[in-house]
Amino acid sequence: MYRIGFSKDIHQLVENRKLILAGVTIPFEKGEKAHSDGDVVIHALSEAILGALALGDLGTHFPDNDDKYLNIDSSIILKTVKEMMLEKSYEINNIDISISLEKPKIKPYILLMRQTLAAILDIDIDLLSIKAGTNEKMDAVGRGEAVEATAIVLLKSR
C-alpha cells in the first residue's frame, strides 16, 4: 500500500538568525524567523510525512507556543516523525523537495542537504531529490523577505 503526502512551509528572513536548510547552515546575513531553528525544508518534509500518515500537522505535534520546542533543532522533529512513520509500518519510497529563495544561491549545498536528510531518515540518497529556484522577484520570497519549501513524499507499507 502506498500513501502520498504534500506540504509547504514559509518563513520570514530576518537578521541575527542562522539560515538552515535541510539541516545545513548556509552562510548568509539573514536566517529564518521561527519558534524552532526555522528549517523550512525539514518542516515541509516532516509535515508531508505526517500528512501521508493522516497524523495531522506539525503544529499538532510540535506547537509553537510550547517552550519545549523553542529553538529546537529541526532534525529532532524529523527523527521523531520518522519514528512515527516506522510505528505505522511505513517507509520512504521517494521524496521530492523544492526550495524557493532569491539569495543566497544554494546550488553548491544541495548535495550536502540531500546527504544530511538521507542520513537522518536512514535512506539511500537516490530516493531524495532537492531542487532550488527563485520566485523571479515576485512576492515575499521574490523580494528576499522569505524562504519557502515544498515537499512531496511517497510512503510504502513495510
mmCIF file of all heavy atoms in Angstrom, residues 1-4 49 52-53 81-95 121-123 127 153-158:
data_model
loop_
_atom_site.group_PDB
_atom_site.id
_atom_site.type_symbol
_atom_site.label_atom_id
_atom_site.label_comp_id
_atom_site.label_asym_id
_atom_site.label_seq_id
_atom_site.Cartn_x
_atom_site.Cartn_y
_atom_site.Cartn_z
ATOM 1 N N MET A 1 0.840 -1.178 0.000
ATOM 2 C CA MET A 1 0.000 0.000 0.000
ATOM 3 C C MET A 1 0.890 1.248 0.000
ATOM 4 O O MET A 1 1.916 1.285 0.671
ATOM 5 C CB MET A 1 -0.889 -0.007 1.241
ATOM 6 C CG MET A 1 -1.802 1.172 1.304
ATOM 7 S SD MET A 1 -3.079 0.885 2.541
ATOM 8 C CE MET A 1 -3.713 2.510 2.678
ATOM 9 N N TYR A 2 0.462 2.233 -0.754
ATOM 10 C CA TYR A 2 1.191 3.495 -0.855
ATOM 11 C C TYR A 2 0.357 4.629 -0.280
ATOM 12 O O TYR A 2 -0.870 4.611 -0.353
ATOM 13 C CB TYR A 2 1.529 3.818 -2.320
ATOM 14 C CG TYR A 2 2.548 2.880 -2.909
ATOM 15 C CD1 TYR A 2 2.167 1.731 -3.570
ATOM 16 C CD2 TYR A 2 3.904 3.164 -2.789
ATOM 17 C CE1 TYR A 2 3.105 0.868 -4.110
ATOM 18 C CE2 TYR A 2 4.857 2.315 -3.324
ATOM 19 C CZ TYR A 2 4.445 1.166 -3.986
ATOM 20 O OH TYR A 2 5.383 0.329 -4.511
ATOM 21 N N ARG A 3 1.058 5.641 0.262
ATOM 22 C CA ARG A 3 0.403 6.857 0.754
ATOM 23 C C ARG A 3 1.266 8.034 0.342
ATOM 24 O O ARG A 3 2.491 7.981 0.402
ATOM 25 C CB ARG A 3 0.256 6.809 2.268
ATOM 26 C CG ARG A 3 -0.597 5.628 2.726
ATOM 27 C CD ARG A 3 -0.818 5.680 4.198
ATOM 28 N NE ARG A 3 -1.856 6.657 4.463
ATOM 29 C CZ ARG A 3 -2.793 6.502 5.391
ATOM 30 N NH1 ARG A 3 -2.816 5.416 6.128
ATOM 31 N NH2 ARG A 3 -3.699 7.424 5.593
ATOM 32 N N ILE A 4 0.609 9.111 -0.085
ATOM 33 C CA ILE A 4 1.332 10.294 -0.544
ATOM 34 C C ILE A 4 1.036 11.459 0.396
ATOM 35 O O ILE A 4 -0.069 11.578 0.920
ATOM 36 C CB ILE A 4 0.965 10.631 -2.002
ATOM 37 C CG1 ILE A 4 1.923 11.647 -2.585
ATOM 38 C CG2 ILE A 4 -0.476 11.093 -2.131
ATOM 39 C CD1 ILE A 4 1.841 11.776 -4.091
ATOM 40 N N ILE A 49 5.217 13.938 5.588
ATOM 41 C CA ILE A 49 5.164 12.573 6.110
ATOM 42 C C ILE A 49 3.969 12.418 7.042
ATOM 43 O O ILE A 49 3.209 11.441 6.946
ATOM 44 C CB ILE A 49 6.484 12.204 6.825
ATOM 45 C CG1 ILE A 49 7.634 12.159 5.815
ATOM 46 C CG2 ILE A 49 6.343 10.864 7.551
ATOM 47 C CD1 ILE A 49 9.026 12.068 6.450
ATOM 48 N N ALA A 52 0.844 12.190 4.940
ATOM 49 C CA ALA A 52 0.699 10.887 4.283
ATOM 50 C C ALA A 52 0.152 9.846 5.250
ATOM 51 O O ALA A 52 -0.584 8.944 4.860
ATOM 52 C CB ALA A 52 2.038 10.425 3.705
ATOM 53 N N LEU A 53 0.496 9.994 6.512
ATOM 54 C CA LEU A 53 0.051 9.052 7.540
ATOM 55 C C LEU A 53 -1.269 9.458 8.188
ATOM 56 O O LEU A 53 -1.753 8.765 9.085
ATOM 57 C CB LEU A 53 1.136 8.926 8.618
ATOM 58 C CG LEU A 53 2.475 8.374 8.146
ATOM 59 C CD1 LEU A 53 3.537 8.563 9.227
ATOM 60 C CD2 LEU A 53 2.352 6.913 7.739
ATOM 61 N N VAL A 81 9.271 12.274 13.661
ATOM 62 C CA VAL A 81 8.284 11.937 12.628
ATOM 63 C C VAL A 81 8.664 10.621 11.945
ATOM 64 O O VAL A 81 7.794 9.791 11.658
ATOM 65 C CB VAL A 81 8.144 13.098 11.617
ATOM 66 C CG1 VAL A 81 7.335 12.680 10.405
ATOM 67 C CG2 VAL A 81 7.518 14.309 12.299
ATOM 68 N N LYS A 82 9.941 10.417 11.718
ATOM 69 C CA LYS A 82 10.407 9.143 11.134
ATOM 70 C C LYS A 82 9.990 7.974 12.026
ATOM 71 O O LYS A 82 9.504 6.943 11.533
ATOM 72 C CB LYS A 82 11.918 9.160 10.967
ATOM 73 C CG LYS A 82 12.516 7.830 10.545
ATOM 74 C CD LYS A 82 14.026 7.847 10.668
ATOM 75 C CE LYS A 82 14.572 6.450 10.740
ATOM 76 N NZ LYS A 82 15.967 6.416 11.137
ATOM 77 N N GLU A 83 10.155 8.113 13.327
ATOM 78 C CA GLU A 83 9.758 7.047 14.258
ATOM 79 C C GLU A 83 8.255 6.801 14.202
ATOM 80 O O GLU A 83 7.810 5.651 14.259
ATOM 81 C CB GLU A 83 10.203 7.374 15.689
ATOM 82 C CG GLU A 83 11.712 7.332 15.867
ATOM 83 C CD GLU A 83 12.339 6.007 15.438
ATOM 84 O OE1 GLU A 83 11.797 4.938 15.792
ATOM 85 O OE2 GLU A 83 13.363 6.042 14.721
ATOM 86 N N MET A 84 7.474 7.866 14.071
ATOM 87 C CA MET A 84 6.020 7.727 13.942
ATOM 88 C C MET A 84 5.678 6.945 12.676
ATOM 89 O O MET A 84 4.792 6.085 12.677
ATOM 90 C CB MET A 84 5.362 9.113 13.925
ATOM 91 C CG MET A 84 5.542 9.876 15.226
ATOM 92 S SD MET A 84 5.152 11.633 15.066
ATOM 93 C CE MET A 84 3.395 11.592 15.189
ATOM 94 N N MET A 85 6.408 7.242 11.590
ATOM 95 C CA MET A 85 6.201 6.548 10.316
ATOM 96 C C MET A 85 6.509 5.057 10.458
ATOM 97 O O MET A 85 5.745 4.197 10.003
ATOM 98 C CB MET A 85 7.092 7.183 9.241
ATOM 99 C CG MET A 85 7.053 6.496 7.891
ATOM 100 S SD MET A 85 8.295 7.153 6.748
ATOM 101 C CE MET A 85 9.821 6.536 7.469
ATOM 102 N N LEU A 86 7.622 4.756 11.105
ATOM 103 C CA LEU A 86 8.015 3.361 11.283
ATOM 104 C C LEU A 86 7.021 2.613 12.182
ATOM 105 O O LEU A 86 6.711 1.448 11.924
ATOM 106 C CB LEU A 86 9.435 3.273 11.851
ATOM 107 C CG LEU A 86 10.547 3.795 10.932
ATOM 108 C CD1 LEU A 86 11.895 3.771 11.657
ATOM 109 C CD2 LEU A 86 10.606 3.019 9.623
ATOM 110 N N GLU A 87 6.502 3.304 13.206
ATOM 111 C CA GLU A 87 5.491 2.696 14.082
ATOM 112 C C GLU A 87 4.226 2.335 13.316
ATOM 113 O O GLU A 87 3.530 1.386 13.666
ATOM 114 C CB GLU A 87 5.155 3.635 15.242
ATOM 115 C CG GLU A 87 6.237 3.717 16.291
ATOM 116 C CD GLU A 87 5.964 4.775 17.346
ATOM 117 O OE1 GLU A 87 4.818 5.277 17.446
ATOM 118 O OE2 GLU A 87 6.916 5.122 18.076
ATOM 119 N N LYS A 88 3.927 3.093 12.283
ATOM 120 C CA LYS A 88 2.750 2.828 11.442
ATOM 121 C C LYS A 88 3.076 1.829 10.331
ATOM 122 O O LYS A 88 2.251 1.578 9.446
ATOM 123 C CB LYS A 88 2.239 4.129 10.818
ATOM 124 C CG LYS A 88 1.620 5.083 11.798
ATOM 125 C CD LYS A 88 0.195 4.681 12.039
ATOM 126 C CE LYS A 88 -0.557 5.800 12.741
ATOM 127 N NZ LYS A 88 -1.943 5.439 12.946
ATOM 128 N N SER A 89 4.289 1.283 10.350
ATOM 129 C CA SER A 89 4.752 0.274 9.382
ATOM 130 C C SER A 89 4.851 0.799 7.950
ATOM 131 O O SER A 89 4.506 0.113 6.994
ATOM 132 C CB SER A 89 3.870 -0.975 9.430
ATOM 133 O OG SER A 89 3.973 -1.580 10.694
ATOM 134 N N TYR A 90 5.361 2.026 7.828
ATOM 135 C CA TYR A 90 5.632 2.611 6.511
ATOM 136 C C TYR A 90 7.096 2.976 6.406
ATOM 137 O O TYR A 90 7.795 3.131 7.407
ATOM 138 C CB TYR A 90 4.762 3.849 6.257
ATOM 139 C CG TYR A 90 3.369 3.486 5.823
ATOM 140 C CD1 TYR A 90 2.372 3.251 6.772
ATOM 141 C CD2 TYR A 90 3.054 3.336 4.486
ATOM 142 C CE1 TYR A 90 1.093 2.888 6.378
ATOM 143 C CE2 TYR A 90 1.779 2.979 4.083
ATOM 144 C CZ TYR A 90 0.807 2.752 5.037
ATOM 145 O OH TYR A 90 -0.451 2.384 4.638
ATOM 146 N N GLU A 91 7.550 3.117 5.156
ATOM 147 C CA GLU A 91 8.899 3.571 4.875
ATOM 148 C C GLU A 91 8.855 4.491 3.666
ATOM 149 O O GLU A 91 7.871 4.521 2.926
ATOM 150 C CB GLU A 91 9.835 2.387 4.630
ATOM 151 C CG GLU A 91 9.469 1.535 3.430
ATOM 152 C CD GLU A 91 10.339 0.283 3.323
ATOM 153 O OE1 GLU A 91 11.076 -0.040 4.257
ATOM 154 O OE2 GLU A 91 10.260 -0.373 2.269
ATOM 155 N N ILE A 92 9.939 5.231 3.479
ATOM 156 C CA ILE A 92 10.032 6.178 2.360
ATOM 157 C C ILE A 92 10.183 5.421 1.047
ATOM 158 O O ILE A 92 11.052 4.564 0.911
ATOM 159 C CB ILE A 92 11.247 7.115 2.543
ATOM 160 C CG1 ILE A 92 11.190 7.885 3.856
ATOM 161 C CG2 ILE A 92 11.409 8.042 1.327
ATOM 162 C CD1 ILE A 92 10.138 8.947 3.957
ATOM 163 N N ASN A 93 9.343 5.750 0.075
ATOM 164 C CA ASN A 93 9.540 5.271 -1.299
ATOM 165 C C ASN A 93 10.379 6.302 -2.052
ATOM 166 O O ASN A 93 11.363 5.955 -2.682
ATOM 167 C CB ASN A 93 8.203 5.053 -2.006
ATOM 168 C CG ASN A 93 8.387 4.371 -3.345
ATOM 169 O OD1 ASN A 93 8.581 3.165 -3.400
ATOM 170 N ND2 ASN A 93 8.355 5.153 -4.422
ATOM 171 N N ASN A 94 9.972 7.571 -1.972
ATOM 172 C CA ASN A 94 10.777 8.659 -2.524
ATOM 173 C C ASN A 94 10.264 10.006 -2.027
ATOM 174 O O ASN A 94 9.135 10.123 -1.561
ATOM 175 C CB ASN A 94 10.845 8.631 -4.052
ATOM 176 C CG ASN A 94 9.544 8.983 -4.711
ATOM 177 O OD1 ASN A 94 8.549 8.274 -4.548
ATOM 178 N ND2 ASN A 94 9.538 10.074 -5.451
ATOM 179 N N ILE A 95 11.138 11.005 -2.137
ATOM 180 C CA ILE A 95 10.870 12.370 -1.667
ATOM 181 C C ILE A 95 11.298 13.334 -2.764
ATOM 182 O O ILE A 95 12.353 13.162 -3.374
ATOM 183 C CB ILE A 95 11.682 12.679 -0.394
ATOM 184 C CG1 ILE A 95 11.249 11.782 0.772
ATOM 185 C CG2 ILE A 95 11.586 14.155 -0.017
ATOM 186 C CD1 ILE A 95 12.210 11.817 1.952
ATOM 187 N N LEU A 121 17.013 10.160 7.818
ATOM 188 C CA LEU A 121 15.931 9.219 7.510
ATOM 189 C C LEU A 121 16.415 7.793 7.307
ATOM 190 O O LEU A 121 15.599 6.879 7.181
ATOM 191 C CB LEU A 121 15.166 9.696 6.270
ATOM 192 C CG LEU A 121 14.379 10.990 6.454
ATOM 193 C CD1 LEU A 121 13.914 11.518 5.115
ATOM 194 C CD2 LEU A 121 13.211 10.781 7.407
ATOM 195 N N ASP A 122 17.731 7.613 7.251
ATOM 196 C CA ASP A 122 18.334 6.306 7.013
ATOM 197 C C ASP A 122 17.814 5.695 5.709
ATOM 198 O O ASP A 122 17.342 4.560 5.668
ATOM 199 C CB ASP A 122 18.080 5.367 8.198
ATOM 200 C CG ASP A 122 18.961 4.132 8.149
ATOM 201 O OD1 ASP A 122 20.070 4.209 7.576
ATOM 202 O OD2 ASP A 122 18.533 3.077 8.662
ATOM 203 N N ILE A 123 17.910 6.503 4.635
ATOM 204 C CA ILE A 123 17.501 6.053 3.307
ATOM 205 C C ILE A 123 18.628 6.300 2.316
ATOM 206 O O ILE A 123 19.541 7.088 2.578
ATOM 207 C CB ILE A 123 16.213 6.768 2.813
ATOM 208 C CG1 ILE A 123 16.420 8.283 2.679
ATOM 209 C CG2 ILE A 123 15.025 6.429 3.709
ATOM 210 C CD1 ILE A 123 15.279 9.038 2.033
ATOM 211 N N LEU A 127 16.795 8.251 -3.259
ATOM 212 C CA LEU A 127 15.351 8.343 -3.018
ATOM 213 C C LEU A 127 14.910 9.768 -2.718
ATOM 214 O O LEU A 127 13.734 10.016 -2.498
ATOM 215 C CB LEU A 127 14.943 7.434 -1.845
ATOM 216 C CG LEU A 127 15.246 5.951 -2.004
ATOM 217 C CD1 LEU A 127 14.801 5.192 -0.767
ATOM 218 C CD2 LEU A 127 14.578 5.396 -3.256
ATOM 219 N N VAL A 153 6.053 13.438 -0.581
ATOM 220 C CA VAL A 153 6.646 12.162 -0.189
ATOM 221 C C VAL A 153 5.709 11.028 -0.544
ATOM 222 O O VAL A 153 4.488 11.162 -0.417
ATOM 223 C CB VAL A 153 6.995 12.157 1.325
ATOM 224 C CG1 VAL A 153 5.766 12.341 2.181
ATOM 225 C CG2 VAL A 153 7.721 10.895 1.724
ATOM 226 N N LEU A 154 6.274 9.938 -1.016
ATOM 227 C CA LEU A 154 5.514 8.728 -1.259
ATOM 228 C C LEU A 154 6.009 7.672 -0.282
ATOM 229 O O LEU A 154 7.202 7.365 -0.240
ATOM 230 C CB LEU A 154 5.698 8.229 -2.704
ATOM 231 C CG LEU A 154 4.901 6.982 -3.084
ATOM 232 C CD1 LEU A 154 3.385 7.239 -3.006
ATOM 233 C CD2 LEU A 154 5.284 6.515 -4.482
ATOM 234 N N LEU A 155 5.092 7.182 0.537
ATOM 235 C CA LEU A 155 5.413 6.156 1.512
ATOM 236 C C LEU A 155 4.874 4.820 1.011
ATOM 237 O O LEU A 155 3.884 4.782 0.296
ATOM 238 C CB LEU A 155 4.784 6.461 2.874
ATOM 239 C CG LEU A 155 5.091 7.818 3.509
ATOM 240 C CD1 LEU A 155 4.392 7.925 4.870
ATOM 241 C CD2 LEU A 155 6.576 8.030 3.640
ATOM 242 N N LYS A 156 5.529 3.744 1.424
ATOM 243 C CA LYS A 156 5.027 2.403 1.094
ATOM 244 C C LYS A 156 4.996 1.582 2.384
ATOM 245 O O LYS A 156 5.819 1.789 3.277
ATOM 246 C CB LYS A 156 5.864 1.731 0.020
ATOM 247 C CG LYS A 156 7.311 1.514 0.361
ATOM 248 C CD LYS A 156 8.072 0.902 -0.795
ATOM 249 C CE LYS A 156 9.558 0.820 -0.461
ATOM 250 N NZ LYS A 156 10.337 0.311 -1.575
ATOM 251 N N SER A 157 4.049 0.677 2.454
ATOM 252 C CA SER A 157 3.963 -0.162 3.649
ATOM 253 C C SER A 157 5.149 -1.109 3.692
ATOM 254 O O SER A 157 5.659 -1.526 2.655
ATOM 255 C CB SER A 157 2.632 -0.911 3.696
ATOM 256 O OG SER A 157 2.465 -1.675 2.527
ATOM 257 N N ARG A 158 5.573 -1.411 4.881
ATOM 258 C CA ARG A 158 6.758 -2.259 5.078
ATOM 259 C C ARG A 158 6.373 -3.725 5.114
ATOM 260 O O ARG A 158 5.345 -4.112 5.528
ATOM 261 C CB ARG A 158 7.447 -1.890 6.391
ATOM 262 C CG ARG A 158 7.979 -0.470 6.330
ATOM 263 C CD ARG A 158 8.525 0.018 7.611
ATOM 264 N NE ARG A 158 9.587 -0.869 8.087
ATOM 265 C CZ ARG A 158 10.055 -0.848 9.319
ATOM 266 N NH1 ARG A 158 9.577 -0.025 10.184
ATOM 267 N NH2 ARG A 158 11.016 -1.648 9.688
#
